[in-house]
Every structure is written in structure tokens, then in C-alpha cells.
Amino acid sequence: MRAAVMYGAGDVRVENRPDPKIADPADAVVRVIASCVCGSDLWPYASMPAADIGRPMGHEFLGVIEDTGADVTALAPGDLVVAPFTYSDNTCDYCTKGLHISCRNGGRYGLDGVDGGQGEAVRVPYADGTLVKLPVAADSALLPSLLTLSDVMTTGHHGAVTAGVGRGDTVLVVGDGAVGLCAVIAAHRLGAEQIVLAGRHTARTDLGREFGATDVVAERGEEGIARVRELTGGVDKVIEAVGTRPALDTALGAVLDGGTISRLGVPQYEQGPIGPPAFMRNITLIGGASPARAYIEQLLPDVLDGAIAPGRVFDEEYALDRTPDAYRAMADRRTLKALIRP
């Protein structure tokens, strides 16, 4: 099969790899119909040391089951399924309390002999626990939105849930990437009354307004914090969807004492402001990697009936062999989120 492999910063290649086969009775082999490049893929794309052995890339995909192991009972060949961005057994103590990201038997695509999602097929461990069957045809116009349930929509929702967003709230979303825009959708879906989107890419923030943002703040740093406070008087709920220290500083500067900040962006820093000044403000720092599997079935009905359309974050489509171009376009900020069709 053909699949995307990263060999170092800026070095993504599409090459021939072994076809996935059932290796464990709980496995399924999924023929990929749609996948994409994630913003988190851009961090290794910018900094990964060069290596002789490449890393299979991609953790967001949906497709049709081609084969199943003997222990797979809930799924069958021909089923259209979406895969959360990590696999999990859905039965361990962490999974049963909704923390599938910490599954004791789970793992990540592209590691430990598991295929990446940016390819023609994937062997999925713990298929019954991981994959969610989709009640639409493989050519449905809803596929882009259904694909977002693999990661960005469920991650945006995780930010809104962990921040405690509810009806009538004022919320700040820091970051106008795909996750930030999906966090706007999530906050609006949960009833937030005022949603301020901090971002400076007009095409993206315009989409954010269509998703439910009531205000946009393009300024950064202290100027941006002042503008948020001018618009809101200060916010109780912040969703930080970037992962840089300046984004966290913006969140801390805008949030009211006693407020909550949910961190969604994969942190690109090791140290944060946890000393006496932050301590005295009683701010709750929460969030983290989304347990996507826990949210898919909650959000699926709203995608199916058109109440939310997160697939609009895909603004460019690429054939699998053009995956390196998709990485370049996203890294150069020419594409918000690239959809890949094998």
C-alpha cells in the first residue's frame, strides 16, 4: 500500500509499505477513505531530527472495514467506521470513566508497529473498543464533518467540557486553527452567550464567526488581553488551543480570578507560571489530550442532522501522493486543514 512517512523536519514522503494484516484476534483492517493532516503533525514537521527509518504519519481517518480478527464481534467487513486518534480497549478502568486517552492497553497510530492514518489502509488494534460505526454511505457529503470526530471536533468539545462551558457563559478561545474553531462550535453548542475568538487570520476568524464567535480579537500580548477585557470585563472560561507559552499567557491575562483555563494545544514549553501570583488567583488549569472515543457518540447525532458542520474546517483537498504538499501548505498557513483522499 501507499502511505505517508516522515523522515525528519520538512521531509514527508509517500512510499510503498506492507499491506496491513490481522496480527491479533481483536484487530480490524480498515481501508481508508479519508484522512487529514493535524496541526500537531506540524510540530515534528518543524523539528523532528533526520532519521534513516521514517515514522508513519496520521492519526485521523475513517474508512471501510476490510477484515476482522476472530474476537471482533461488533463490526464486520463493509462497515463504514471512524477512528478516534488513539486506539483503546474501551473496557479498562480508565476507559470506563471516559479517559480513553489513558487506556491501559491503548496506543497511538504510527508507533509500535501500528500503521499511520495517512495511507491506504490501517490495522486497528482493539477494533470493537476503538472504531465507531457510521450510519451513512461511503460517499456521503457528511464525511468531512464525520472525519473531524476523529480528533479536532472531539478535542474542541473536550476543551469546552473541561472548561465547564454552559448556557449564558462568556468564553475566550485562544487560537484560530482547526481545534480553536471547533472549540467555538463546541462552546456555542453548549450555550455560551459570548464567544471571543483570539486570532488574526481573517479567513479563519470569519469562519469562526459563522460557527458562533460573537467577537474577534486580532491583537496579541498585553494589547490583546486589554481588548478581551474591554469586550467582556474578563472571562470565566478560556480554551487555549495553540500550545505556546504566549497563548497560555494570554489565557492567564484574560481570565478572571477563580476562572478556568482548559489547555488543548500540545504544549511546546516545559515551564509555566505556577508560582505565587497565579496561585493567589485561584485559577483552575485543566484540559489535556482529548479522550476522543468518549465523545464521538455524543456528537455524532448533531453531525448527522446538520446541527454542527465542523467539516468546514477542511479548506483544501489533496490526493494521497500529494501529502507532502499538504504539509507544506499547512506549515506555510496557506491551508487551514488539509483533507487527504487515498
Side-chain angles (χ1 to χ4, degrees), residues 250-290:
T250 295
L252 286 163
V255 74
L256 293 168
D257 289 12
T260 300
I261 298 170
S262 178
R263 297 191 306 159
L264 292 186
V266 179
Q268 302 304 303
Y269 53 88
E270 295 294 331
Q271 296 182 339
I274 58 173
F279 175 81
M280 295 301 293
R281 296 181 63 200
N282 282 283
I283 295 167
T284 298
L285 284 176
I286 197 167
S290 169

Side-chain angles (χ1 to χ4, degrees), residues 2-340:
R2 302 283 286 167
V5 180
M6 186 179 291
Y7 284 87
D11 186 3
V12 175
R13 312 172 196 175
V14 178
E15 58 188 30
N16 292 319
R17 294 184 57 80
D19 291 335
K21 299 183 184 303
I22 300 298
D24 183 274
D27 289 348
V29 173
V30 176
R31 174 173 53 85
V32 177
I33 292 177
S35 63
C36 53
V37 179
C38 183
S40 65
D41 293 333
L42 299 181
W43 295 119
Y45 186 71
S47 61
M48 178 179 170
D52 294 330
I53 299 176
R55 172 184 164 187
M57 294 301 295
H59 52 262
E60 303 160 277
F61 63 96
L62 56 75
V64 175
I65 293 180
E66 288 198 327
D67 194 11
T68 60
D71 290 350
V72 177
T73 60
L75 302 164
D79 287 345
L80 180 69
V81 294
V82 63
F85 68 90
T86 60
Y87 57 87
S88 58
D89 60 26
N90 206 20
T91 59
C92 78
D93 54 334
Y94 281 125
C95 288
T96 55
K97 62 184 178 183
L99 198 60
H100 297 72
I101 190 73
S102 299
C103 175
R104 295 188 184 277
N105 296 304
R108 297 164 58 193
Y109 298 102
L111 301 173
D112 302 320
V114 177
D115 308 288
Q118 294 165 9
E120 293 179 322
V122 178
R123 177 180 69 85
V124 179
Y126 300 102
D128 274 349
T130 300
L131 300 171
V132 177
K133 185 176 178 179
L134 299 172
V136 299
D139 60 353
S140 170
L142 291 174
L143 255 56
S145 285
L146 293 167
L147 177 58
T148 68
L149 299 180
S150 184
D151 186 347
V152 289
M153 186 61 229
T154 47
T155 294
H157 180 66
H158 183 57
V161 169
T162 53
V165 175
R167 190 159 302 281
D169 281 345
T170 296
V171 181
L172 169 65
V173 176
V174 182
D176 59 9
V179 169
L181 294 176
C182 286
V184 170
I185 294 174
H188 185 260
R189 177 179 176 273
L190 292 174
E193 183 174 316
Q194 184 178 17
I195 303 171
V196 180
L197 175 60
R200 59 178 185 169
H201 302 89
T202 304
R204 301 181 181 191
T205 55
D206 285 350
L207 182 57
R209 288 185 185 276
E210 294 180 35
F211 283 160
T214 56
D215 304 277
V216 170
V217 171
E219 297 88 347
R220 290 189 168 188
E222 292 298 325
E223 188 179 0
I225 293 169
R227 179 60 177 151
V228 172
R229 287 186 168 265
E230 178 186 346
L231 286 168
T232 65
V235 293
D236 284 314
K237 314 287 173 64
V238 182
I239 302 169
E240 190 277 283
V242 180
T244 62
R245 178 60 192 275
L248 178 61
D249 289 342
T250 295
L252 286 163
V255 74
L256 293 168
D257 289 12
T260 300
I261 298 170
S262 178
R263 297 191 306 159
L264 292 186
V266 179
Q268 302 304 303
Y269 53 88
E270 295 294 331
Q271 296 182 339
I274 58 173
F279 175 81
M280 295 301 293
R281 296 181 63 200
N282 282 283
I283 295 167
T284 298
L285 284 176
I286 197 167
S290 169
R293 180 63 182 82
Y295 297 132
I296 291 176
E297 285 152 321
Q298 295 178 27
L299 296 170
L300 181 57
D302 280 7
V303 172
L304 293 174
D305 68 14
I308 59 174
R312 295 179 65 195
V313 299
F314 294 110
D315 57 344
E316 195 70 44
E317 185 173 314
Y318 295 81
L320 177 60
D321 281 341
R322 292 190 60 219
T323 301
D325 296 331
Y327 273 82
R328 281 191 289 272
M330 285 185 60
D332 293 342
R333 298 296 189 268
R334 291 182 284 111
T335 295
L336 168 58
K337 191 165 179 67
L339 182 70
I340 297 173

